[in-house]
Amino acid sequence: MSASRETGSAHRVVLTGVGVFSSIGVGADQFAAGLRAGRSGVRPISVFDTTGFAHTNGCEVVGFEPESWIRNTPIEQLGRASQFSVAAARMAVTDAGLDDETLQARRGLISIGTTDGESYDLDHLVGQDVAGGPTRMEPARARRLPASRLAMSVARELGLSDVEAITMATACSAGNYAIGYGFDAVRSGEVDFALCGGADAMCRKTFTGFYRLGTIAPEFCQPFDKNRKGILTGEGAGVLMLESLASAQRRGARIYAEIRGYGLNCDAYHQVAPNESSVARCMALALADAGVTPAEVDLISAHGTGTKANDVTETRAIRSVFGADTPRTVSLKSMLGHTMGAASALSAIACALAIKQGFIPPTINHVETDPDCDIDCVPNHSVPAQLRVVQNNGLAFGGNNAIVMLGRYEDADNGVMV
């Protein structure tokens, strides 16, 4: 956990570039337009065989062309999740107005979160083994399996040698874990920049696991709705370029938002069930680290999976922390599906875009709010809003909770918001 927020520009951490691959848009502009419009990424799953399943919708990234972004690494050496992470990192570097040569001369960190790693390839290998034994398994696929390649491949693509490259496998909150790690590294001065976020590719293994739990929705995801049916699996990547405010100011970089702080804990309460008091404790840690009070938070991007276990528990935890000051609380999974390790990274980028562009994305597919979810979830339509502080929740199996606080960048010297 980092120390409490300091005000010097060398210690403040800002977001200057984003890379986005999602089912509702690629890149910052398309993604923001999709969020504002309340676009749904739902479609029939095509990336794996769904024969035998009664419900087969998901949120795929359609038309993904990795060769448009990956220049220095043979595409066939990367699994689909690594392709997402490398492409998103390349996009974030470009979006930040940086280039490979500049980054190669600096100390850096690459931290990428994931749930499944390259389980898409693992599905294929298991199928080949079942069909014809281990001799039928493709060596090229097997070489792509290590999850560590999601971060290492970014370093390889960008030609970075003075970096720590780490893949974090803390499941559905992994993106926020990765952002928190990058925040600490930049804030402490240990590194000059951090490329951090999350990536995952849809796979039959995870879809089947959630299906067996009875949590796959028949058609679409309805977080906080009285008649919700569960989650839809999704895929994609979100990567953020973090640097110190001093660095961004020196090079005149555009600043999307400031990372104000984060909190994380692991309660190990249950394999799949969240714990209300632990989630509330994590929120309190994040607020304290960011140096803000509950009344200062303008929006919460909830974990909001669309299951009763999550939605009710998370809502009660929010109410226990914020009380009468509970801000509007939305779930982007209603649009994106559950993108697993990419989920909280994509949500963090969405929070930054909402701050920068002055709107709150909606919770779509909403008909009637569950009386056990006492929040304003901004149903179905985005609304204009001037946001100063936004909280991004990420919760994961095993009680791995991670929450990141973002704020509007304010120029203290000039007293203006940018």
Side-chain angles (χ1 to χ4, degrees), residues 49-85:
D49 183 6
T50 58
T51 301
F53 294 98
H55 312 309
T56 59
N57 278 348
C59 296
E60 296 177 6
V61 178
V62 178
F64 176 49
E65 297 177 342
E67 61 276 9
S68 297
W69 295 96
I70 302 173
R71 307 168 188 164
N72 304 320
T73 308
I75 301 297
E76 66 275 10
Q77 294 184 9
L78 301 175
R80 185 170 171 86
S82 294
Q83 291 176 11
F84 279 140
S85 70

Side-chain angles (χ1 to χ4, degrees), residues 172 194 365:
C172 305
N365 307 318

Side-chain angles (χ1 to χ4, degrees), residues 397-415:
F397 283 175
N400 279 299
N401 307 311
I403 294 171
V404 169
M405 307 296 299
L406 301 95
R408 171 171 291 198
Y409 165 57
E410 299 184 9
D411 186 337
D413 293 334
N414 298 316

Side-chain angles (χ1 to χ4, degrees), residues 52-56 206-216:
F53 294 98
H55 312 309
T56 59
T206 292
F207 176 80
T208 304
F210 279 103
Y211 207 101
R212 295 300 186 195
L213 286 172
T215 57
I216 294 292

Side-chain angles (χ1 to χ4, degrees), residues 80-415:
R80 185 170 171 86
S82 294
Q83 291 176 11
F84 279 140
S85 70
V86 174
R90 169 69 72 188
M91 185 186 292
V93 171
T94 302
D95 190 53
L98 292 164
D99 55 42
D100 296 6
E101 291 72 25
T102 301
L103 294 182
Q104 288 162 7
R106 298 181 179 180
R107 299 165 301 157
L109 169 72
I110 300 165
S111 57
I112 304 295
T114 190
T115 294
D116 293 309
E118 297 296 1
S119 290
Y120 177 79
D121 275 330
L122 186 61
D123 284 350
H124 285 269
L125 290 169
V126 171
Q128 290 164 351
D129 186 24
V130 171
T135 59
R136 294 283 299 276
M137 298 168 73
E138 297 174 74
R141 284 191 186 273
R143 284 193 291 270
R144 299 196 302 233
L145 283 182
S148 59
R149 292 172 65 88
L150 270 68
M152 292 172 56
S153 298
V154 173
R156 180 185 180 189
E157 167 67 18
L158 299 175
L160 304 178
S161 57
D162 192 10
V163 294
E164 176 188 4
I166 182 171
T167 301
M168 296 188 173
T170 44
C172 305
S173 60
N176 269 355
Y177 267 82
I179 294 169
Y181 194 57
F183 171 78
D184 274 346
V186 173
R187 177 185 175 83
S188 67
E190 182 180 347
V191 301
D192 301 315
F193 70 90
L195 282 165
C196 46
D200 257 311
M202 289 179 66
C203 63
R204 187 160 50 188
K205 180 266 295 180
T206 292
F207 176 80
T208 304
F210 279 103
Y211 207 101
R212 295 300 186 195
L213 286 172
T215 57
I216 294 292
E219 297 180 274
F220 41 77
C221 180
Q222 296 176 275
F224 312 122
D225 195 281
K226 179 181 178 182
N227 296 310
R228 61 185 170 273
K229 298 292 192 300
I231 74 166
L232 292 178
T233 58
E235 66 178 1
V239 173
L240 300 79
M241 169 63 78
L242 304 186
E243 60 186 303
S244 69
L245 174 58
S247 170
Q249 289 175 324
R250 277 197 301 271
R251 63 187 192 86
R254 170 194 50 204
I255 296 173
Y256 284 102
E258 180 172 1
I259 308 298
R260 297 287 299 266
Y262 74 98
L264 59 84
N265 62 5
C266 179
D267 54 67
Y269 166 72
H270 189 274
Q271 292 94 329
V272 299
N275 179 274
E276 179 183 331
S277 62
S278 177
V279 173
R281 174 61 178 158
C282 193
M283 293 184 203
L285 290 170
L287 289 165
D289 190 52
V292 301
T293 66
E296 294 177 285
V297 178
D298 299 312
L299 172 68
I300 296 174
S301 176
H303 189 61
T305 59
T307 66
K308 186 175 182 63
N310 176 92
D311 291 358
V312 173
T313 302
E314 185 177 15
T315 300
R316 288 175 176 169
I318 290 170
R319 294 293 298 187
S320 73
V321 172
F322 290 87
D325 294 320
T326 296
R328 285 178 281 196
T329 301
V330 301
S331 171
L332 304 183
K333 291 180 178 66
S334 61
M335 292 181 266
L336 302 168
H338 196 332
T339 55
M340 306 295 155
S344 51
L346 286 169
S347 293
I349 293 172
C351 292
L353 293 171
I355 291 170
K356 187 71 173 176
Q357 298 188 15
F359 73 100
I360 296 177
T363 303
I364 67 169
N365 307 318
H366 199 76
V367 179
E368 182 179 0
T369 301
D370 183 343
D372 288 331
C373 297
D374 186 17
I375 55 168
D376 174 1
C377 69
V378 190
N380 300 319
H381 302 285
S382 63
V383 296
Q386 295 304 310
L387 305 172
R388 296 177 71 99
V389 180
V390 177
Q391 175 177 309
N392 183 43
N393 288 2
L395 316 178
F397 283 175
N400 279 299
N401 307 311
I403 294 171
V404 169
M405 307 296 299
L406 301 95
R408 171 171 291 198
Y409 165 57
E410 299 184 9
D411 186 337
D413 293 334
N414 298 316

